[in-house]
Amino acid sequence: MMMSGAVLYVETFKEYVGTMETEFLSMTHINKRYAGVHALKDVDFSIREGEIHCLAGTNGSGKSTLVKIICGVEQPDADSHIVIGGQEHHRYSRMDAVHQGIQVIYQDLSLFPNLSVQENISFNELLSGSRHLVSWKNSRTIAKKAMQRVGISITLDKKVADLSMADQQLVAISRALTNDVRLLILDEPTTALTKKEVQALLSVIKDLKKHGIATLFISHKLDELIEVADRVTILRDGEKTGTFNGDELDDKKIEYHMTGTNTTYTPYHMEPDTSHTPLLECRKLSREKNYADIDLTIHHGEIIGITGLLGSGRTELALALFGLNPPSSGTCSLNGEPLDLSDVQNVVEQGVAYVPENRLVEGLVLNQPISKNIVMTVLDNNLTRLGLLDDRKLKQKVDQLVKELEIKIPSAESAVKTLSGGNQQRVVLAKWIATRPKLFILDNPTVGIDIAAKTSIHTIIKQLAREGMGIIIISDEIPEVLYNCNRVLVMNRGRIIGSFDAKQTNEDEIQSFIDSHAL
Amino acid sequence: MKKLLERHETYVLAIIILLSILITSFNPNFLTLENAFDLLKSNAFTGILAIGVLFVLISGGIDISFAATATIAEYLTVIVCLQIGGSMLFAFAMAVLIGILLGMVNGYLIDRFSIPPIITTIATMNLYYGLLIVFSKGRWLYTLPPYFRSFADIRILTLSTANGLPYGISIITAIWFALMLLASFILNFTRLGRSIYAVGGDVISAQRIGIRVRMIRVSVYSFMGALAAVAGIVQALLVQTVAPNSIVGKELNVIAAVVLGGASLTGGVGSVGGMFLGVMLLAIVQNGMTLMKIPAVWYDVFVGLVIIISVGFSSWKAKRRSSGAIIDVQEAPRTHSEQTAGGSR
Ligand SMILES: Nc1ncnc2c1ncn2[C@@H]1O[C@H](COP(=O)(O)OP(=O)(O)OP(=O)(O)O)[C@@H](O)[C@H]1O
Ligand SMILES: [Mg+2]
């Protein structure tokens, strides 16, 4: 299922011969205003044929908005000027973009969960042809071919809703690589992928480039950007700070152009309180086909990092500790009291909080205001003596969290769905932090969050730990666990196979330990 | 086999079989061809409406106004036919036109002003039905054009009972089945059909991929309107009178039948086969009660129970299936020295 050794079978693409300097797309004076937000301010932007172009910027800086305009989903304000393939477009729709060969992979993937893998991949073809009848045989060939191009195989008849996030992403990529694609746009394609899969994806992109297909991609992982980009455009608060050649940038410089400042990682060196009863003590937790023999001790004020490959059982273990995936054997206690892991309600009441991995789907009521989303979990604790909601107290809480997490919002009453992806994620974090849990489990807490905000979220996590909270951070990014945790655990195939003291190890050691156990 | 067990339809079929055995053990008349043909005829009205509802539910919408649409189409058509003569073909064509028009209004309102479909169609139901009652003054029509009777008596297959009475497959049943085939074809083999599933699965994804969502919605509600109109005429054929108030009020039963057949109220899921089983299950419950001499007042209770058991069971199965990923846990327990290997450095 991984894109290992992704080979691109491209008989269908013509070998590219044009010069690199021809502009495929050029846009000038792009403005976009939403009610109350000026999301793009007079942005000029161009993409050359066959180039790899990256779009960087903090959360809410307007990246996704620009992408939506390029692919015709949103229309820019008047006076904007769009030229694609040498042709000027006045009213530019999604179908125009499709005809120009622009394919997009969205931040939320935009697949059809109720349809099969095969149908999702071949849907473009169904819409673009002039025939009104479906040929299932044809659809199957298309889907097979597309997956071959990406170098993967997923059961074609599976419903997309039943796939893991990573597989869904691969389906979205396969879907976008139709025969006449000229520009492939990826909005944060790598958030749910592990390092290995990212490498495979990048090699697919490089291969596309050889055939004259341009790629535009957005990512918050800066090192990834620089590695492959011909050019990088940086946005800050809806304005373009500049377009740079890939080789004149490093991550410090990108960060500077994005935020106007530079941040540094400070390791977490707070000593956990080992004199008291440990906060959490688990012995020999096992569940068939999920995890086995998990021994875990967390003290007050301790931050534990869990890393390992995708599918190593990290998420299953996290779910177990939250009562959603109960063990069939083993014991667990919280503050010395036995903790019944077969009952979420009880686990939450005992003070365990969990921020899931695909929190965009699981954590939010998109149509509801930000404020309501944040206080959703704490309504019971904020009642007046009459049992009514204490509005003033709730409002204070919302304001404080919005400030702490630097959530960029027009007002606490706007609907969550109008926020940028990264800001939506912060709302989920705020929601759980509001409960002031004793044990806080975070599954990839900073995926899709920009570099500046990452640091501030880490600062908050460390502050929570200093106040005595025990924290588990699950992450693919080794630096994230290394610089924010006391201890780093490595999982593989459902077991904890290594434990590192963060002070006495380094990135390379952990990485090679993981690699040496990979299948 | 495993695939079959995952399908909702299998469970509905199982319940139908169990019920049939139960009913037959009380009254062997149940399991006769005559009774089966009769069920297929008398439920054609519900069945045709259910096809339309299936489309609407798959697209992620809901329609409450179809019974009103059916009544209007039926009433107006019969009045016009009485005036000008006409023919059966003319009657169907005219009714369908009226149905499409009324359905289109629903679809357009829902998409253009993004009013939730349930609100829109409750409003249009009241509007349509109210207008009909105002203008018809609630009058029943007892005499239909003569071809309504002769058409209703057509059988496409005639057998006879032991004592020589003819029975068989009615033309009405044939119309229902033809429409089901058509619907199944549209849903499974046309761009339109697949787009309906896509819109029901995720509207935003549908827009982004370039599906014209408004066109789909208007089509779906127009189709519902057309089928409601056909059902209206079928109703007239079945009972040979037209009463402005006889259909309105049956909406929920039809929706229940479709949901029973596996369609989801949140959209994107449903099949013609499932819908047929759903309609038949409710029909059999009703029929069985008559045959077992249970008072009709119990009908609603049984319907409620059947829905809860059937829908509940298959959601429970689905939930069990989705919990927990499968990880290939490493076999041999690791030795202790290896466990601490990393930590001691
Ligand atoms: N439909 C909408 N209504 C109102 N405001 C919106 C809407 N969509 C986006 N915005 C606002 O426009 C701004 C830019 O959002 P955009 O999604 O482009 O950010 P982004 O750069 O993609 O951020 P992220 O990295 O978090 O995904 C944000 O302030 C956002 O709140
Ligand atoms: Mg975005």
Side-chain angles (χ1 to χ4, degrees):
Chain A
M1 220 134 296
M2 254 177 268
M3 295 189 290
S4 46
V7 194
L8 205 63
Y9 296 100
V10 278
E11 326 95 303
T12 40
F13 296 117
K14 267 204 250 77
E15 190 69 36
Y16 178 67
V17 277
T19 80
M20 283 290 293
E21 301 305 319
T22 348
E23 271 180 7
F24 170 70
L25 167 149
S26 127
M27 308 166 86
T28 38
H29 302 299
I30 301 295
N31 274 288
K32 180 74 191 173
R33 289 179 187 82
Y34 292 109
V37 188
H38 197 162
L40 288 175
K41 299 173 193 155
D42 213 27
V43 172
D44 294 349
F45 185 69
S46 72
I47 296 175
R48 295 175 189 153
E49 283 184 4
E51 85 167 328
I52 300 178
H53 197 121
C54 292
L55 202 51
T58 55
N59 292 136
S61 58
K63 302 181 298 292
S64 295
T65 308
L66 185 60
V67 163
K68 282 181 196 149
I69 289 176
I70 295 177
C71 60
V73 170
E74 296 266 10
Q75 274 59 49
D77 299 350
D79 300 341
S80 306
H81 192 80
I82 302 178
V83 179
I84 299 177
Q87 212 182 325
E88 180 155 4
H89 290 265
H90 293 287
R91 290 189 62 232
Y92 179 64
S93 73
R94 175 73 196 116
M95 262 318 174
D96 293 328
V98 170
H99 287 304
Q100 294 292 339
I102 298 179
Q103 287 291 341
V104 198
I105 297 165
Y106 293 91
Q107 203 160 358
D108 58 10
L109 300 184
S110 275
L111 296 169
F112 300 109
N114 57 329
L115 301 183
S116 70
V117 170
Q118 169 185 335
E119 207 175 356
N120 267 282
I121 296 179
S122 61
F123 220 107
N124 275 314
E125 173 71 17
L126 178 62
L127 292 176
S128 64
S130 56
R131 286 183 316 140
H132 283 272
L133 297 186
V134 183
S135 152
W136 288 105
K137 216 176 106 204
N138 194 14
S139 140
R140 204 166 183 90
T141 336
I142 291 171
K144 270 195 188 142
K145 245 196 197 146
M147 289 217 279
Q148 221 167 49
R149 243 181 245 151
V150 188
I152 53 168
S153 71
I154 299 172
T155 323
L156 284 173
D157 296 322
K158 247 190 167 173
K159 268 209 310 186
V160 161
D162 297 336
L163 299 181
S164 70
M165 273 311 266
D167 281 352
Q168 291 190 16
Q169 194 140 30
L170 298 176
V171 170
I173 293 171
S174 309
R175 177 174 79 173
L177 290 184
T178 55
N179 284 341
D180 50 0
V181 60
R182 303 285 315 281
L183 169 63
L184 178 66
I185 305 179
L186 303 109
D187 194 347
E188 298 194 43
T190 54
T191 42
L193 299 186
T194 56
K195 201 138 199 151
K196 201 162 149 202
E197 288 164 320
V198 170
Q199 288 307 330
L201 174 63
L202 293 184
S203 76
V204 170
I205 291 176
K206 281 186 220 157
D207 227 72
L208 290 176
K209 176 190 164 80
K210 284 198 202 118
H211 297 87
I213 297 159
T215 311
L216 170 65
F217 83 98
I218 300 179
S219 170
H220 287 294
K221 297 185 181 168
L222 301 179
D223 47 343
E224 240 166 42
L225 288 175
I226 313 157
E227 197 179 316
V228 289
D230 296 312
R231 293 195 298 165
V232 179
T233 293
I234 298 175
L235 295 177
R236 188 199 302 172
D237 284 334
E239 277 175 89
K240 184 166 109 168
T241 35
T243 297
F244 308 87
N245 284 331
D247 45 26
E248 49 178 295
L249 290 173
D250 56 35
D251 43 355
K252 284 271 168 276
K253 277 197 195 129
I254 297 184
E255 197 189 328
Y256 179 76
H257 289 300
M258 272 166 53
T259 60
T261 55
N262 266 323
T263 47
T264 44
Y265 260 132
T266 41
Y268 180 63
H269 279 322
M270 154 92 180
E271 277 305 313
D273 176 6
T274 46
S275 57
H276 290 76
T277 355
L279 176 64
L280 180 83
E281 247 187 316
C282 298
R283 290 289 162 262
K284 295 244 171 285
L285 294 184
S286 302
R287 182 187 167 102
E288 202 192 334
K289 296 218 182 297
N290 275 260
Y291 46 85
D293 295 333
I294 301 293
D295 286 337
L296 191 61
T297 307
I298 301 177
H299 295 280
H300 292 269
E302 191 171 28
I303 308 181
I304 300 269
I306 302 182
T307 186
L309 298 174
L310 210 67
S312 58
R314 303 169 310 184
T315 299
E316 286 66 28
L317 174 59
L319 287 173
L321 295 178
F322 189 57
L324 284 174
N325 193 18
S328 46
S329 65
T331 58
C332 189
S333 62
L334 193 72
N335 277 326
E337 304 276 319
L339 182 64
D340 176 11
L341 290 179
S342 61
D343 175 6
V344 211
Q345 197 69 36
N346 169 49
V347 173
V348 173
E349 271 161 27
Q350 301 294 317
V352 180
Y354 171 60
V355 179
E357 193 176 9
N358 52 344
R359 60 202 72 123
L360 287 185
V361 192
E362 289 173 12
L364 293 171
V365 190
L366 290 175
N367 284 318
Q368 288 281 330
I370 296 153
S371 54
K372 285 227 174 85
N373 270 287
I374 294 183
V375 296
M376 201 153 69
T377 43
V378 291
L379 294 179
D380 291 352
N381 313 338
N382 288 281
L383 302 177
T384 58
R385 235 171 295 155
L386 290 172
L388 300 174
L389 290 177
D390 188 340
D391 269 342
R392 207 174 42 88
K393 222 163 114 192
L394 287 176
K395 188 167 177 319
Q396 265 176 8
K397 195 150 227 157
V398 170
D399 289 345
Q400 181 201 344
L401 283 162
V402 164
K403 206 163 134 251
E404 265 179 29
L405 291 172
E406 300 172 26
I407 307 178
K408 195 187 157 191
I409 53 174
S411 118
E413 296 317 309
S414 23
V416 165
K417 69 170 173 205
T418 68
L419 293 183
S420 75
N423 280 310
Q424 290 185 1
Q425 254 162 348
R426 294 184 205 193
V427 172
V428 183
L429 284 179
K431 176 179 119 179
W432 284 106
I433 291 177
T435 65
R436 296 281 151 188
K438 295 185 193 123
L439 175 66
F440 199 7
I441 308 169
L442 300 138
D443 201 344
N444 280 305
T446 61
V447 164
I449 290 191
D450 69 58
I451 177 106
K454 249 183 195 170
T455 321
S456 74
I457 283 178
H458 291 151
T459 314
I460 292 165
I461 293 175
K462 289 177 206 168
Q463 184 54 40
L464 293 173
R466 275 194 198 93
E467 290 163 16
M469 201 183 283
I471 291 175
I472 299 177
I473 301 179
I474 296 173
S475 178
D476 297 324
E477 292 175 56
I478 295 170
E480 173 159 45
V481 281
L482 188 61
Y483 296 123
N484 296 298
C485 301
N486 302 90
R487 225 155 24 99
V488 179
L489 305 179
V490 177
M491 281 191 78
N492 189 28
R493 297 182 64 190
R495 291 172 189 277
I496 296 177
I497 56 165
S499 162
F500 295 85
D501 184 336
K503 265 185 290 191
Q504 291 163 24
T505 183
N506 58 47
E507 215 176 317
D508 291 338
E509 187 184 14
I510 299 179
Q511 184 66 54
S512 52
F513 181 75
I514 292 175
D515 290 345
S516 70
H517 284 82
L519 294 172
Chain B
M1 185 65 202
K2 207 170 148 224
K3 264 238 163 87
L4 271 181
L5 281 181
E6 282 175 15
R7 294 185 68 113
H8 177 84
E9 286 89 332
T10 316
Y11 296 100
V12 183
L13 190 62
I15 296 182
I16 290 184
I17 294 172
L18 285 180
L19 260 180
S20 301
I21 295 174
L22 182 77
I23 298 170
T24 313
S25 68
F26 276 86
N27 187 337
N29 281 338
F30 176 77
L31 213 63
T32 57
L33 262 186
E34 199 181 350
N35 189 42
F37 289 157
D38 195 49
L39 274 181
L40 289 177
K41 180 180 178 185
S42 54
N43 284 285
F45 165 70
T46 315
I48 293 173
L49 288 175
I51 300 173
V53 172
L54 175 71
F55 273 59
V56 173
L57 290 189
I58 292 177
S59 80
I62 192 160
D63 191 342
I64 307 287
S65 71
F66 58 85
T69 305
T71 313
I72 290 191
E74 178 190 17
Y75 202 89
L76 286 183
T77 304
V78 168
I79 286 201
V80 170
C81 284
L82 285 172
Q83 293 283 323
I84 65 162
S87 67
M88 209 57 234
L89 195 65
F90 171 81
F92 273 114
M94 173 174 171
V96 166
L97 274 181
I98 297 173
I100 290 182
L101 200 76
L102 298 182
M104 253 165 139
V105 171
N106 279 334
Y108 182 76
L109 287 176
I110 288 165
D111 191 88
R112 179 69 183 79
F113 303 107
S114 6
I115 319 169
I118 189 159
I119 307 283
T120 311
T121 56
I122 286 178
T124 53
M125 170 188 78
N126 284 309
L127 182 75
Y128 297 163
Y129 187 59
L131 283 175
L132 179 71
I133 294 298
V134 169
F135 287 109
S136 71
K137 305 202 178 60
R139 254 194 317 264
W140 288 41
L141 307 175
Y142 292 104
T143 39
L144 304 189
Y147 48 81
F148 268 69
R149 159 121 307 158
S150 50
F151 186 82
D153 287 340
I154 298 176
R155 278 190 291 266
I156 59 165
L157 175 79
T158 310
L159 305 170
S160 48
T161 56
N163 39 21
L165 289 171
Y167 70 100
I169 300 174
S170 160
I171 183 100
I172 294 175
T173 310
I175 293 177
W176 177 25
F177 274 65
L179 288 172
M180 282 201 289
L181 283 180
L182 174 72
S184 182
F185 177 76
I186 295 179
L187 284 179
N188 291 313
F189 295 102
T190 67
R191 179 148 97 191
L192 174 70
R194 299 322 292 172
S195 302
I196 295 174
Y197 277 99
V199 169
D202 192 325
V203 190
I204 294 181
S205 303
Q207 266 159 359
R208 284 176 173 173
I209 204 175
I211 292 174
R212 285 183 303 176
V213 174
R214 173 170 304 170
M215 206 273 287
I216 302 293
R217 286 202 174 126
V218 172
S219 310
V220 161
Y221 285 94
S222 307
F223 188 67
M224 168 85 252
L227 285 165
V230 174
I233 299 295
V234 163
Q235 173 77 351
L237 289 169
L238 284 171
V239 297
Q240 294 295 326
T241 44
V242 176
N245 57 356
S246 73
I247 304 180
V248 171
K250 299 231 168 84
E251 299 87 356
L252 292 184
N253 276 346
V254 179
I255 295 174
V258 179
V259 172
L260 203 49
S264 144
L265 285 172
T266 50
V269 184
S271 70
V272 174
M275 174 224 93
F276 173 69
L277 292 176
V279 171
M280 287 321 286
L281 179 51
L282 288 194
I284 288 171
V285 170
Q286 194 165 25
N287 184 242
M289 287 177 53
T290 320
L291 292 178
M292 297 196 308
K293 305 207 170 55
I294 300 172
V297 285
W298 282 95
Y299 176 64
D300 291 341
V301 177
F302 281 115
V303 169
L305 284 177
V306 166
I307 293 177
I308 291 174
I309 293 171
S310 149
V311 177
F313 187 67
S314 78
S315 329
W316 176 74
K317 284 282 289 187
K319 192 173 155 196
R320 254 193 19 172
R321 205 172 43 234
S322 69
S323 72
I326 290 177
I327 286 186
D328 175 22
V329 176
Q330 213 152 9
E331 272 313 319
R334 324 220 97 238
T335 57
H336 214 72
S337 60
E338 222 174 326
Q339 271 265 359
T340 47
S344 55
R345 268 174 280 183

